[in-house]
């Protein structure tokens, strides 16, 4: 009789291979793995560490300072996703600025911000454009729409980033990357295949329980073979070529630039900036924002958390001074942040 194949869960629970560190690059993976209780299945030699895939978390303090400057000094209306409002800047958060009278609006998409600008022609509206390849196309579309609508009161404060350079910067911090499936849906898989040739192993993972268990099981099976590997574990969404339409749109409006990441410093070529043809929609240029060097709270170890150098619970203020109600750093604010995941699901205890 043919032997029954093991389930992904059985492979994970029964893993007896060498110690392995797997980095969940994506903050949503971190939260879903916690929420689904997958961590409780892992044998002691399998360590999951968080990575830099939370857009709000990797956005540096100086970006918050720039937004506060625009809101208070230039009296623009800031449109932003909700998470960014409570991220501490060097001296103030956007919530603090709002308490001082600044106009801060929470929106659910850049299209909402563009629409608001169109409906309020007397206000100058700036959308805080953060995130990776997944969110950048929507910001680009809003700029194109603003151009078509002839708006002169809409612009983006851009801090969009691209993942490939971050993977290079994180080389050596984990044995296997759990790649964010939604990013690969845009970029395709060529880069990850190339990284495997350079010795960096990884599996593209989806977001359901089945997809996450499968990706982890594949990572453990392949890791034991002792050779670098790449597996697309999310083939129903991720194609090798990615999304040529989204890539073309980004390329039409934006070009690469050096970019500062919280904790990782400046990574050459890892950011995006609006091309010269679109600079009328670039808030930094439009309002001549001066260079601002942000200073994070010295007690905060977000930088180390984002590089997998420590767990949130290793931070001295975790769960004491720093809580979701009173966040000290971005990783405790964001719905995708590792510190908020540990706080919500780990109950303050390292798992
Ligand atoms: S627990 Fe708070 S202070 Fe510590 S690293 Fe996380 S966000 Fe920063």
């Amino acid at each position: 009789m043919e032997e029954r194949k093991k389930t992904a869960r059985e492979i994970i629970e029964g893993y007896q291979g060498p110690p392995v560190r797997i980095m969940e690059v994506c903050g949503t993976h971190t939260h879903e793995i916690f929420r689904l209780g997958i961590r409780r299945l892992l044998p002691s030699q399998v360590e999951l560490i968080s990575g830099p895939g939370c857009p709000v978390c990797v956005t540096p303090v100086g970006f918050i300072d720039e937004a506060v400057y625009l809101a208070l000094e230039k009296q623009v209306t800031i449109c932003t996703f909700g998470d960014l409002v409570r991220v501490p800047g060097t001296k103030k958060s956007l919530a603090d600025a709002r308490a001082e009278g600044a106009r801060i609006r929470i929106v659910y998409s850049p299209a909402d911000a563009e629409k608001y600008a169109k409906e309020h022609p007397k206000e100058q509206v700036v959308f805080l454009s953060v995130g990776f390849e997944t969110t950048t196309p929507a910001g680009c579309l809003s700029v194109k729409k603003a151009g078509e609508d002839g708006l002169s009161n809409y612009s983006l404060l851009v801090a969009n980033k691209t993942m490939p350079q971050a993977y290079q910067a994180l080389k050596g911090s984990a044995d296997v990357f759990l790649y964010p499936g939604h990013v690969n849906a845009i970029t395709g898989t060529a880069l990850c295949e190339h990284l495997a040739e350079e010795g960096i192993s990884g599996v593209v993972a989806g977001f359901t329980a089945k997809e996450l268990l499968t990706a982890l099981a594949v990572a453990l099976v392949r890791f034991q073979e002792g050779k670098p590997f790449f597996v697309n574990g999310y083939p129903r969404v991720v194609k090798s070529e990615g999304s040529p339409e989204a890539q073309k749109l980004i390329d039409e409006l934006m070009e690469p630039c050096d970019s500062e990441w919280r904790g990782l410093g400046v990574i050459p070529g890892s950011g995006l900036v609006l091309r010269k043809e679109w600079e009328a929609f670039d808030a930094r240029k439009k309002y001549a924002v001066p260079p601002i060097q942000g200073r994070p709270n010295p007690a905060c170890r977000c930088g180390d958390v984002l590089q997998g150098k420590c767990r949130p619970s290793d931070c001295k203020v975790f769960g004491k001074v720093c809580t979701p109600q009173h966040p000290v750093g971005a990783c405790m604010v964001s719905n995708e942040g590792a510190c908020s995941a540990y706080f919500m699901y780990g109950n303050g205890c390292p798992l």
Side-chain angles (χ1 to χ4, degrees):
M1 202 166 88
E2 198 178 328
E3 198 184 339
R4 181 178 71 83
K5 283 190 180 148
K6 284 185 182 169
T7 64
R9 177 176 177 155
E10 287 167 344
I11 291 170
I12 294 167
E13 287 183 311
Y15 179 75
Q16 292 183 341
V20 54
R21 282 161 59 90
I22 301 176
M23 179 178 275
E24 315 130 351
V25 175
C26 169
T28 305
H29 280 162
T30 300
H31 275 253
E32 283 305 286
I33 286 170
F34 262 116
R35 192 180 69 77
L36 295 164
I38 293 175
R39 280 183 172 251
R40 298 186 188 279
L41 307 179
L42 303 176
S44 59
Q45 69 272 41
V46 180
E47 186 182 3
L48 286 184
I49 51 177
S50 303
C54 155
V56 170
C57 305
V58 294
T59 300
V61 175
F63 180 81
I64 301 297
D65 296 345
E66 289 181 305
V68 169
Y69 169 86
L70 285 168
L72 290 176
E73 304 298 324
K74 300 291 181 180
Q75 282 91 44
V76 308
T77 300
I78 296 287
C79 285
T80 177
F81 299 131
D83 282 3
L84 276 174
V85 174
R86 295 195 311 125
V87 175
T90 300
K91 289 189 181 151
K92 292 173 187 168
S93 66
L94 286 164
D96 297 329
R98 181 163 58 189
E100 291 179 25
R103 284 191 301 271
I104 313 291
R105 291 188 64 82
I106 293 176
V107 293
Y108 295 100
S109 71
D112 286 349
E114 195 270 347
K115 185 165 175 276
Y116 180 85
K118 193 173 172 184
E119 292 169 353
H120 298 80
K122 292 196 177 140
E123 292 181 34
Q124 289 293 322
V125 177
V126 174
F127 175 72
L128 304 186
S129 184
V130 301
F132 305 107
E133 288 87 343
T134 40
T135 50
T136 307
C140 291
L141 276 178
S142 78
V143 167
K144 282 192 97 168
K145 180 80 167 55
E148 286 160 19
D149 290 341
L151 300 190
S152 59
N153 67 331
Y154 179 69
S155 55
L156 303 185
L157 185 65
V158 178
N160 293 87
K161 303 193 188 309
T162 50
M163 289 307 295
Q165 297 80 2
Y167 295 140
Q168 292 285 359
L170 287 165
K171 210 171 175 178
S173 54
D175 298 307
V176 183
F177 286 137
L178 213 55
Y179 291 123
H182 49 355
V183 170
N184 287 95
I186 304 292
T187 61
T189 57
L191 168 84
C192 302
E193 287 164 35
H194 178 66
L195 287 173
E197 285 162 18
E198 286 186 11
I200 302 174
S201 295
V203 180
V204 178
F207 297 89
T208 65
K210 191 174 163 189
E211 285 161 347
L212 282 164
L213 285 169
T214 303
L216 285 168
V218 167
L220 294 177
V221 169
R222 295 295 301 271
F223 181 71
Q224 288 180 87
E225 293 171 3
K227 287 188 290 202
F229 61 88
F230 167 72
V231 178
N232 177 6
Y234 196 27
R236 74 183 171 92
V237 171
V238 174
K239 308 297 169 212
S240 61
E241 70 277 15
S243 167
E245 296 84 5
Q247 292 163 15
K248 187 164 167 259
L249 177 66
I250 295 172
D251 189 50
E252 182 188 344
L253 275 84
M254 294 194 172
E255 60 187 347
C257 66
D258 297 346
S259 182
E260 183 186 351
W261 298 55
R262 190 187 295 258
L264 279 75
V266 174
I267 303 180
S270 68
L272 291 165
V273 63
L274 284 164
R275 290 185 183 276
K276 193 158 178 46
E277 308 89 278
W278 300 95
E279 68 181 12
F281 298 97
D282 184 334
R284 280 193 191 88
K285 292 192 174 137
K286 185 172 180 178
Y287 301 103
V289 177
I292 299 175
Q293 189 60 50
R295 278 177 285 108
N297 186 317
C300 177
R301 296 191 65 189
C302 274
D304 290 336
V305 170
L306 292 166
Q307 296 175 82
K309 289 184 179 169
C310 78
R311 289 188 293 199
S313 46
D314 295 329
C315 173
K316 283 194 181 138
V317 295
F318 173 82
K320 300 177 190 121
V321 178
C322 184
T323 64
Q325 288 73 35
H326 300 286
V328 173
C331 301
M332 187 60 93
V333 177
S334 171
N335 286 332
E336 296 181 37
C339 297
S340 79
Y342 269 68
F343 189 91
M344 279 201 295
Y345 302 111
N347 197 24
C349 304
L351 292 179

